[in-house]
Structure formats: structure tokens, C-alpha cells
Amino acid sequence: MAAVYKALSKSVNDNKSDAPTDGVKRNKQRVLILSSRGVTYRHRHLLKDLASMMPHGRVDAKFDQKKKLGELNELAELYNCNNICFFEARKGQDLYLWLAKAPNGPTCKFLVTNIHTMEELSFNGNCLKGSRPILSFDNTFDAEPHLQVIKQLLLQTMGVPPHQKRSKPFIDHVLSFSVADGRIFMRVYQLQETEGTGTTTDATTEEATVKEKEKEKEKKKQQRRSGLEKELDLSLLEIGPRCVLQPIIIQEGSFGGALLYENKHFVSPNQVRADMRRKGATKSNTRAAQSIDRQSKLDTLGLRTEGEKKKADQLDSRKLFA
């Protein structure tokens, strides 16, 4: 009986500890970020750039398996993560991105193209490490069901929850996601604040008196106390990284389950490269066929030195007047 009482009291205490003290439900999101073997330097730099903007993420070592991706759920449970961001490299040049909600799903697979890292772009802008971003989505994300699922996955993966222990209470950059031609374009911008242009007062002129300056100082103090300061003009300055995501499939479970969506217009990079090689091979094949036709014509006319010569006709002038 004592063991049963201890188990029941422990469960009650755990439920009390999970409940928030201030009555506000906390958004606890943690992301497991890792890659497979065979990533290139560009893929690795993209992963580092994204991980630096996700203070709620945990970067793990490379994952050896490429077929049994369901084992990532065990890793996420081990590190207490409920989101998985897995970069899968194939043939040393293709990069695929898996976004999954552990352990029940859903899972979305993307083809990552047009990768440009922060070091490669070398823009002038910058943002504070650990600051929270503003996620901006195109209106087309609300038009189709599969885009709504992708939007929620990006929100819970890229969005930094408030009061996260490694995040800073600043919002100084924007993550923009826009849809065009069936692809999702990802851009990162810095929020740049500049003071608005206002009319010059008499206090700023050279003929201003000391009394007028003192009056303006008092006005500024009153404005600061009341919160009425100068309006700031906001502008966007791109800082990178940038990439393009092409959705391939959406699965019901975490790295498994039924297919909820499949992109019928997706063409594998392997197929594209095979078509290009086949196109180059047709040119060489046509040249080889033309050379064979020419050789056969020369054989029929008996004009080849190596081949059999054409038999002389009985009515040939060389025979008649020999």
C-alpha cells in the first residue's frame, strides 16, 4: 500500500509542477537540427546560419542512417525536442530538408536549391544573435491545404517561443516566406530604424536664444515622459541566408505514415541530369550515324582505298579502247 500511495502522490505532484504558476500557458518548442553524411561545405554553412537564428534549437552530430529515418524520433525524445529539422545530402550535390513534428507527425520533405550563405552574400546588415524573428508569410499559404500544413511546420520550427532561456527579448529581423511557381522562397531581412525627417525648429538655428533652447529641452522631457517621441521609419535590409524550398511530399506521421500530399510537378535532380546527358549523347549518336552513312556510300561507289573496289563495266571506255 505504501508503494501505491507513493506512486499516486508522485503523479499528483508532477501534474502540479507542470501547471504554470501565473496561469499562462508556455509555448515550449525545441528543435533538433542535424544533417546526414556527405554534406558539402555550402550545405554545412547553411545549417550553421539557420542554427544561429534558432536559439531554441539543438545541433547534433551527423546521422549515419539514410533509410531508417524513424530513429530520429528516438533522438528527439532523448534530447527533449518536439521538432526535427533534418538535412539529407545525396550524391554530394543534392540537399533535401525534412521538417517533422515528433513523435506523431506530420512530416514534410523539401528539395533545397539556390543556396546562398551569409558569408557568400556578405551583406552590410546584421542582427543580434539569439533575438526573436518576425515570421512573414505570403497570402497564398492560406489558399491551399498543403500550404497551410507547411506554414504551421515553419511556424513551430523557425519561430522562437517567448521567454526561451537562450533567446534575447529583441525583435530585429524578419523571416520572409513567399510562394511562386510552386516553390517557397526564403529570405532574411534586418529591421533598420531611422528617425523620421521633421521640420527644423527655431532652437536648431544659429539665432536661437538660450531661453528657447531650455523650453525645447523641457518639451522633449515631457514628450519622453508621456511616450510621445519622434516617429521612426522602418526599412528592410537583407542579411541572408537565402534558399528556395520545393515541397515534395507530406506524410501523416513522423518520418512515415500515409501520404497527405504529393507534388506531381516535381522532377528529381537525377532525372534532370540524366536528360541532359541523354541530350548530349543524341548529338554524338547523330554524328556517328552520319559517318557510318558516308562510309557505306563510299563503299557502294568503290571510292574507298581500303575497301573492295567497284567491278569495271564491260562497256566502260577503258575496256573498249584499251
Side-chain angles (χ1 to χ4, degrees):
M1 291 297 292
V4 175
Y5 175 73
K6 286 182 180 179
L8 291 174
S9 61
K10 186 177 180 182
S11 63
V12 172
N13 293 330
D14 290 342
N15 293 332
K16 288 183 179 179
S17 62
D18 292 340
T21 56
D22 55 354
V24 181
K25 187 177 180 181
R26 301 296 182 188
N27 181 14
K28 295 182 180 179
Q29 300 288 339
R30 293 197 65 187
V31 185
L32 178 64
I33 306 170
L34 71 167
S35 65
S36 66
R37 296 285 179 182
V39 292
T40 61
Y41 72 96
R42 189 187 294 269
H43 302 161
R44 187 172 63 253
H45 290 179
L46 177 66
L47 187 147
K48 287 184 179 180
D49 293 342
L50 293 177
S52 64
M53 293 188 297
M54 299 164 66
H56 61 301
R58 177 189 174 89
V59 181
D60 197 30
K62 294 180 180 179
F63 189 65
D64 292 331
Q65 294 287 340
K66 286 192 176 182
K67 294 182 179 180
K68 299 178 181 179
L69 297 181
E71 296 179 0
L72 291 172
N73 295 320
E74 299 177 3
L75 275 177
E77 186 180 0
L78 181 65
Y79 295 125
N80 196 17
C81 298
N82 52 3
N83 296 290
I84 301 174
C85 182
F86 178 59
F87 291 88
E88 182 184 3
R90 291 184 181 177
K91 295 191 175 181
Q93 50 188 341
D94 301 330
L95 182 65
Y96 294 90
L97 173 63
W98 293 81
L99 293 181
K101 188 74 178 173
N104 299 322
T107 306
C108 188
K109 182 181 179 181
F110 302 93
L111 174 66
V112 187
T113 55
N114 298 337
I115 300 172
H116 299 282
T117 59
M118 295 177 70
E119 293 183 358
E120 180 184 358
L121 295 171
S122 65
F123 285 126
N124 295 327
N126 196 2
C127 66
L128 184 65
K129 186 175 182 179
S131 60
R132 297 179 60 211
I134 297 174
L135 298 182
S136 173
F137 291 93
D138 196 1
N139 292 330
T140 53
F141 277 96
D142 299 327
E144 298 182 11
H146 71 279
L147 291 177
Q148 294 177 3
V149 176
I150 293 172
K151 179 181 178 181
Q152 289 300 321
L153 282 173
L154 292 173
L155 272 172
Q156 298 181 23
T157 304
M158 301 293 181
V160 180
H163 307 291
Q164 211 274 340
K165 62 179 182 180
R166 289 195 297 171
S167 65
K168 295 179 176 59
F170 300 103
I171 298 175
D172 58 353
H173 62 286
V174 179
L175 277 173
S176 173
F177 298 96
S178 56
V179 180
D181 195 19
R183 293 171 173 82
I184 300 172
F185 292 80
M186 177 183 170
R187 299 289 184 269
V188 184
Y189 299 96
Q190 176 196 357
L191 284 172
Q192 198 172 18
E193 296 180 351
T194 55
E195 290 187 358
T197 57
T199 57
T200 56
T201 58
D202 297 333
T204 57
T205 59
E206 296 180 357
E207 300 176 356
T209 59
V210 179
K211 293 182 180 179
E212 290 176 348
K213 289 182 179 180
E214 291 178 355
K215 288 181 181 179
E216 285 219 349
K217 287 181 180 179
E218 291 177 359
K219 286 182 181 179
K220 287 181 179 180
K221 288 180 181 179
Q222 291 177 359
Q223 288 177 355
R224 288 174 183 172
R225 289 173 184 173
S226 60
L228 299 174
E229 296 183 353
K230 287 185 178 181
E231 295 183 356
L232 297 177
D233 295 335
L234 294 177
S235 59
L236 296 178
L237 181 65
E238 188 174 359
I239 58 177
R242 60 167 68 165
C243 63
V244 179
L245 306 176
Q246 186 177 5
I248 303 173
I249 56 171
I250 299 177
Q251 294 177 323
E252 185 179 3
S254 180
F255 297 100
L259 280 179
L260 300 179
Y261 169 76
E262 184 178 4
N263 190 2
K264 302 296 183 181
H265 303 286
F266 172 72
V267 181
S268 174
N270 296 330
Q271 185 67 33
V272 174
R273 288 191 290 268
D275 292 340
M276 292 177 66
R277 288 195 298 268
R278 198 175 294 112
K279 187 177 179 180
T282 52
K283 293 182 180 179
S284 61
N285 291 336
T286 52
R287 292 197 197 97
Q290 289 175 359
S291 64
I292 291 171
D293 292 340
R294 186 168 177 274
Q295 298 281 343
S296 62
K297 287 180 181 179
L298 291 175
D299 288 339
T300 55
L301 296 174
L303 300 176
R304 289 187 61 185
T305 56
E306 298 177 357
E308 296 181 358
K309 294 185 179 180
K310 187 179 179 181
K311 294 182 180 180
D313 192 6
Q314 296 295 331
L315 299 177
D316 191 3
S317 57
R318 296 175 185 176
K319 290 278 186 179
L320 293 173
F321 302 102

